[in-house]
């Protein structure tokens, strides 16, 4: 708005023929929104996803925010993705600044440049994108002509490792919150603040009391000599003591992208995504999403029917994916599946399900969704032994697995994927052998049902490394060190040698740095800037990640990665995220951690309140 006359369209025609997949950068896909950028007073908002186009276009939250912000005529929200390596090289060589796809204008003088924080290993891309745009990377170096850097998403609940680069943090669900911040900005700009001698910090003071807004510069930390947090100090008295997340109370009334953008090229999730509900009641003790997205809020069956009907008409997709943290827990899952199959089967539009729980796998549901096309089945036992599943509060048994895969094989499925985590608190090699036993049990069940193995049949076993996350009962636990993880992976490789088993595992060095930044503090901003200067980008992609580069940068900053990742923590330690209110109390998390040590489960809170705090907190009072 302030710099609207400075917007310049960049010319990328001369370089598009020289890069892989030029369609990533065209920006005129079906259902994109275009507005007149010459209108005075138009607020320019760049929604940036810090990964390549194919990944960012698959992120539902980005589509939701894109559509909700563009509801306002005087706000123009455009998409920005991290250019691939070849495109970035051409842009820098030809002095082309990072641009928004819709207008193809440089985002340097936009009002807001926002980033979605979904994964810690994308942080280097954020710095690289700001640098490519010509925006000062550190908050302290920005002037009135620079955009406000705003972030949100699941990693924003501990934003401290990137706090030195960020102006505004939005906590929680952004459909209403982001629009409130933008409207406050427009109102503030109409008073000619810079002409009156006001500064960027004065705008922060205008919005800091909006529920869900966190301004990192209004807080600072003191540390003990051993590196632990001593205390948090407020630098502005009107800043909230505990900034709290925002939620959408009525999911039927919230904006949903019924005209979702259809890309020119294939993306990671190239289909309609139908969100059934938000939140989760299961209480898995390793799962951050299950804690921070409480309380559970469902969309009505009628609303879902209306949404999906419009999405089919507006996109032409031939697949509908049902999405939520625990999709099969939706109270009308059979009805919505039956509707989708009956309504769209004759159009050859299929229905796919994400990872399913073993304890409520429905044969009727599976039978319905396979009528158009038979998609793969994925189950997530998470741990091999019953003891370990009780520790993490998974709430499923080996009998649940037998029942689920038996039904699937009886109905004709010939492949099953099983997901596990390794490195979980209290894990032993006996628990790892349980993963082997489950895989072999699946093979035996298939043989019993089919009279042996005929044709193609496989069990895919995938393991990821446990990363302790903030706001979970396991936030006090250390991560297994790299040698421990490598030894466990080698053990599984040796015991899963079978012609019908495929074993995949996640790279442990990446998990180390994910753990460092997941539970990190504000001092890590130095590390991030240092590793960025050394060329780090796309660190979530194994071929680009260099642990040596990260460890060298940690050393330059005088910080120890093992302090953050491999250290057991006491209950009285102050965490860098303790001042953020997600609704779930620390007392509840401690109680759950103690129950984990006793191998004791906590029942699904749909069947009775477990006292996590959300139902009595102002965030979700009365919604459970």
């Amino acid at each position: 708005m302030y710099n609207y006359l400075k917007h310049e369209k960049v010319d990328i025609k001369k370089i598009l023929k020289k890069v892989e997949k030029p369609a990533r950068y065209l920006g005129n896909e079906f259902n994109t929104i275009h507005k007149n950028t010459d209108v005075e007073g138009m607020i320019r908002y760049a929604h940036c996803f810090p990964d390549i186009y194919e990944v960012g276009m698959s992120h539902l939250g980005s589509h939701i925010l894109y559509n909700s912000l563009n509801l306002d005529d005087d706000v123009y929200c455009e998409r920005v993705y991290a250019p691939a390596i070849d495109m970035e090289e051409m842009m820098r060589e030809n002095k082309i600044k990072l641009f928004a796809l819709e207008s193809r204008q440089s985002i340097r003088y936009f009002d807001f440049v926002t980033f979605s924080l979904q994964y810690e290993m994308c942080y280097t891309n954020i710095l690289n994108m700001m640098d490519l745009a010509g925006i000062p990377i550190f908050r302290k170096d920005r002037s009135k002509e620079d955009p406000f850097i705003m972030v949100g998403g699941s990693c924003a609940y501990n934003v401290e490792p990137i706090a030195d680069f960020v102006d505004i943090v939005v906590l929680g669900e952004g459909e209403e919150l982001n629009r409130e911040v933008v409207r406050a900005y427009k109102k503030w700009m109409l008073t000619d603040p810079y002409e009156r001698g006001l500064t960027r910090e004065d705008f922060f003071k205008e919005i800091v009391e909006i529920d869900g807004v966190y301004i990192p510069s209004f807080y600072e930390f003191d540390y003990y000599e051993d590196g632990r947090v001593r205390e948090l100090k407020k630098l502005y008295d009107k800043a909230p003591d505990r900034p709290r997340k925002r939620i959408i109370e009525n999911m039927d009334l919230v904006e949903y992208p019924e005209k979702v953008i259809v890309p020119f090229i294939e993306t990671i999730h190239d289909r309609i995504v139908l969100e059934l509900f938000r939140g989760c009641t299961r209480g898995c003790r390793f799962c951050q999403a299950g804690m921070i997205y409480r309380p559970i809020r469902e969309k009505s069956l009628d609303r879902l029917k209306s949404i999906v009907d419009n999405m089919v008409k507006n996109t032409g997709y031939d697949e509908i994916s049902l999405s939520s943290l625990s999709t099969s827990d939706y109270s009308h899952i059979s009805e919505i599946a039956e509707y989708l199959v009956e309504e769209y089967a004759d159009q050859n539009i299929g229905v796919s399900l994400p990872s399913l729980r073993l304890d409520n796998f429905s044969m009727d549901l599976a039978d319905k969704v396979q009528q158009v096309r038979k998609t793969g089945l994925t189950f997530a036992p998470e741990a091999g032994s019953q003891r370990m599943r009780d520790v993490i509060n998974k709430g499923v048994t080996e009998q649940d697995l037998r029942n689920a895969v038996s039904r699937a094989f009886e109905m004709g499925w010939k492949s099953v994927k099983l997901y596990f985590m390794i490195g979980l608190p209290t894990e032993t090699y006996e628990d790892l052998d349980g993963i082997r036993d489950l895989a072999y049990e699946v093979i035996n069940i298939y043989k019993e049902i089919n009279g042996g193995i005929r044709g193609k049949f496989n069990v895919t076993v995938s393991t990821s490394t446990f990363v302790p996350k903030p706001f979970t009962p396991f936030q006090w636990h250390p991560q297994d060190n790299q040698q421990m993880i490598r030894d466990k992976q080698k053990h599984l490789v040796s015991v899963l040698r079978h012609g019908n088993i495929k074993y995949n595992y996640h790279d442990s060095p990446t998990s180390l740095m994910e753990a460092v930044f997941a539970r990190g503090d504000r001092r890590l901003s130095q590390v991030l800037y240092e590793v960025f200067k050394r060329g780090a980008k796309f660190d979530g992609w194994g071929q680009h990640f260099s642990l040596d580069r990260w460890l060298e940068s940690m050393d330059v900053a005088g910080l120890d990665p093992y302090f953050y990742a491999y250290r057991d923590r006491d209950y009285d330690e102050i965490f860098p995220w303790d001042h953020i209110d997600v609704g779930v109390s620390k007392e509840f998390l401690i109680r759950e951690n103690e129950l984990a040590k006793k191998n004791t489960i906590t029942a699904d809170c749909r069947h009775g309140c477990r006292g996590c705090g959300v139902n009595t907190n102002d965030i979700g009072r009365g919604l459970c």
Side-chain angles (χ1 to χ4, degrees):
M1 179 176 173
Y2 179 75
N3 294 304
Y4 78 98
L5 292 177
K6 294 187 178 183
H7 295 144
E8 296 180 359
K9 192 167 184 176
V10 300
D11 182 11
I12 60 172
K13 294 180 181 178
K14 58 185 177 182
I15 65 173
L16 280 184
K17 292 182 179 180
K18 301 177 182 179
V19 300
E20 182 186 18
K21 297 186 179 180
R24 290 167 169 163
Y25 314 105
L26 296 179
N28 288 307
E29 308 99 314
F30 191 58
N31 290 332
T32 51
I33 296 171
H34 296 273
K35 297 184 179 182
N36 185 355
T37 61
D38 294 327
V39 175
E40 184 172 0
M42 179 72 76
I43 295 174
R44 307 299 299 280
Y45 186 108
H47 180 78
C48 305
F49 195 91
D51 212 320
I52 62 171
Y53 177 90
E54 292 94 319
V55 178
M57 277 293 290
S58 302
H59 180 238
L60 176 61
S62 295
H63 288 283
I64 291 173
L65 288 175
Y66 178 84
N67 279 267
S68 64
L69 284 160
N70 277 313
L71 289 174
D72 296 333
D73 292 336
D74 56 356
V75 178
Y76 193 6
C77 175
E78 302 180 63
R79 295 164 299 137
V80 184
Y81 302 103
I85 300 294
D86 61 339
M87 181 65 171
E88 181 189 340
E89 291 175 352
M90 295 301 299
M91 289 174 67
R92 291 192 184 275
E93 180 181 327
N94 290 272
K95 296 181 171 54
I96 296 174
K97 298 295 185 185
L98 187 62
F99 56 91
L101 292 190
E102 281 75 7
S103 66
R104 210 169 292 168
Q105 292 176 344
S106 165
I107 64 173
R108 170 71 177 82
Y109 295 109
F110 275 35
D111 300 283
F112 291 91
V113 171
T114 70
F115 290 92
S116 181
L117 307 181
Q118 302 300 319
Y119 179 38
E120 292 85 354
M121 299 317 295
C122 284
Y123 288 170
T124 49
N125 281 1
I126 294 175
L127 270 58
N128 193 51
M129 291 171 75
M130 284 196 286
D131 182 67
L132 190 56
I135 299 169
I137 290 177
F138 283 94
R139 178 183 62 246
K140 61 182 177 59
D141 296 330
R142 295 184 200 123
S143 69
K144 65 181 183 181
E145 293 198 347
D146 295 309
F148 290 108
I149 303 298
M150 186 160 70
V151 300
S154 57
C155 292
Y157 291 106
N158 180 26
V159 78
E160 301 311 321
I162 61 170
D164 288 351
F165 314 116
V166 171
D167 294 311
I168 304 163
V169 182
V170 286
L171 301 169
E173 296 159 356
E175 293 98 325
E176 297 171 348
L177 175 54
N178 287 47
R179 292 175 74 187
E180 286 181 26
V181 172
V182 170
R183 283 196 290 267
Y185 170 75
K186 179 167 186 177
K187 182 178 179 181
W188 187 69
M189 288 301 295
L190 289 174
T191 66
D192 294 322
Y194 298 132
E195 297 297 323
R196 296 187 293 117
L198 299 182
T199 66
R200 294 165 64 89
E201 187 176 80
D202 290 305
F203 175 62
F204 301 155
K205 293 178 179 178
E206 287 287 323
I207 64 172
V208 72
E209 295 182 77
I210 295 177
D211 213 11
V213 169
Y214 171 49
I215 306 296
S217 60
F218 287 164
Y219 304 80
E220 71 175 11
F221 290 88
D222 284 339
Y223 302 90
Y224 291 109
E225 288 186 6
D226 64 4
R228 293 176 299 125
V229 174
R230 183 196 302 270
E231 65 175 331
L232 171 73
K233 297 179 180 178
K234 278 201 315 180
L235 305 180
Y236 177 56
D237 59 352
K238 291 187 178 180
D241 293 332
R242 298 201 67 205
R244 65 186 183 187
K245 73 175 182 184
R246 280 279 289 276
I247 64 168
I248 302 296
E249 294 187 7
N250 190 328
M251 293 301 297
D252 279 354
L253 300 180
V254 70
E255 170 67 15
Y256 196 80
E258 298 181 8
K259 282 191 173 184
V260 68
I261 296 172
V262 181
F264 291 134
I265 59 176
E266 186 177 354
T267 59
I268 302 298
H269 301 302
D270 211 13
R271 58 200 177 212
I272 288 172
V273 179
L274 186 62
E275 182 188 39
L276 306 182
F277 62 90
R278 292 182 187 171
C280 185
T281 59
R282 294 289 185 163
C284 297
R285 293 174 179 135
F286 61 85
C287 181
Q288 185 187 56
M291 298 295 167
I292 63 177
Y293 293 137
R294 295 182 179 207
I296 198 165
R297 290 144 292 142
E298 291 190 348
K299 290 179 181 175
S300 68
L301 188 59
D302 287 341
R303 174 64 175 139
L304 290 174
K305 291 178 181 179
S306 173
I307 289 172
V308 76
D309 289 347
N310 287 327
M311 293 184 81
V312 169
K313 292 174 186 176
N314 292 327
T315 65
Y317 277 123
D318 64 356
E319 184 177 345
I320 302 166
S321 175
L322 303 181
S323 174
S324 284
L325 289 178
S326 183
T327 297
S328 50
D329 281 338
Y330 179 56
S331 58
H332 301 289
I333 186 63
S334 295
E335 293 98 315
I336 189 62
E338 183 175 352
Y339 172 80
L340 294 175
V341 171
E342 291 180 355
E343 191 74 14
Y344 298 114
D346 60 351
Q347 300 178 45
N348 201 35
I349 297 176
V351 179
S352 65
L353 299 170
S355 174
L356 297 166
R357 286 189 62 88
L358 291 163
D359 56 343
N360 63 1
F361 176 73
S362 166
M363 182 186 294
D364 292 337
L365 176 60
D367 188 45
K368 289 171 185 173
V369 301
Q370 75 161 341
Q371 289 180 24
V372 176
R373 67 177 66 92
K374 190 171 292 183
T375 56
L377 277 181
T378 302
F379 297 108
E382 305 292 0
S385 70
Q386 190 58 50
R387 184 198 72 82
M388 197 71 245
R389 287 191 291 274
D390 291 345
V391 168
I392 64 178
N393 204 43
K394 188 63 182 177
V396 298
T397 66
E398 188 172 338
Q399 188 59 48
D400 292 325
L401 175 66
R402 292 194 190 98
N403 293 340
V405 297
S406 295
R407 294 167 185 167
F409 294 151
E410 288 168 356
M411 294 165 56
W413 263 276
K414 295 185 182 300
S415 66
V416 170
K417 294 181 180 179
L418 302 176
Y419 279 101
F420 300 90
M421 298 184 87
I422 61 174
L424 288 160
T426 78
E427 182 182 72
T428 67
Y429 274 76
E430 185 176 346
D431 300 313
L432 296 179
D433 287 339
I435 296 175
R436 172 204 61 198
D437 296 341
L438 288 180
Y440 277 80
E441 178 69 9
V442 170
I443 293 174
N444 291 333
I445 291 171
Y446 184 86
K447 288 179 179 178
E448 291 173 8
I449 291 173
N450 293 278
I453 295 179
R454 300 171 183 173
K456 289 185 177 181
F457 165 72
N458 62 78
V459 179
T460 301
V461 175
S462 297
T463 62
S464 60
T465 302
F466 166 68
V467 176
K469 296 280 187 172
F471 302 108
T472 68
F474 289 164
Q475 65 182 349
W476 290 277
H477 287 270
Q479 184 183 48
D480 275 3
N481 65 45
Q482 291 180 76
Q483 188 58 54
M484 294 167 68
I485 292 297
R486 284 194 291 266
D487 289 344
K488 290 180 178 181
Q489 290 170 340
K490 289 178 182 178
H491 178 75
L492 286 172
V493 168
S494 68
V495 300
L496 290 172
R497 294 188 186 279
H498 190 284
N500 298 105
I501 296 177
K502 180 181 180 181
Y503 175 44
N504 301 320
Y505 53 89
H506 188 264
D507 190 33
S508 62
T510 307
S511 298
L512 165 61
M513 295 314 301
E514 181 184 347
V516 168
F517 277 83
R519 293 193 298 180
D521 53 51
R522 200 167 288 194
R523 295 170 297 178
L524 286 173
S525 292
Q526 306 168 52
V527 177
L528 192 59
Y529 184 63
E530 182 65 30
V531 79
F532 156 72
K533 290 192 299 180
R534 293 167 180 258
K537 67 188 76 169
F538 292 109
D539 286 287
W541 299 53
Q543 66 267 38
H544 298 297
F545 179 81
S546 167
L547 182 59
D548 288 342
R549 184 162 51 196
W550 280 97
L551 296 180
E552 290 165 4
S553 300
M554 294 286 294
D555 189 57
V556 168
L559 297 172
D560 183 354
Y562 309 104
F563 170 83
Y564 294 100
Y566 299 152
R567 181 173 59 87
D568 209 347
R569 307 186 183 201
D570 295 329
Y571 287 142
D572 61 358
E573 179 171 342
I574 299 173
F575 290 148
W577 57 89
D578 272 350
H579 59 298
I580 303 298
D581 184 2
V582 300
V584 176
S585 71
K586 199 169 186 178
E587 292 73 22
F588 171 77
L589 299 179
I590 291 173
R591 187 165 73 244
E592 283 297 298
N593 189 38
E594 289 301 311
L595 289 173
K597 296 175 183 178
K598 300 174 184 176
N599 307 339
T600 302
I601 65 170
T602 297
D604 186 338
C605 63
R606 281 180 186 257
H607 309 306
C609 181
R610 309 304 167 192
C612 76
V614 168
N615 199 35
T616 55
N617 187 295
D618 286 341
I619 291 174
R621 189 184 303 275
L623 292 177
C624 293

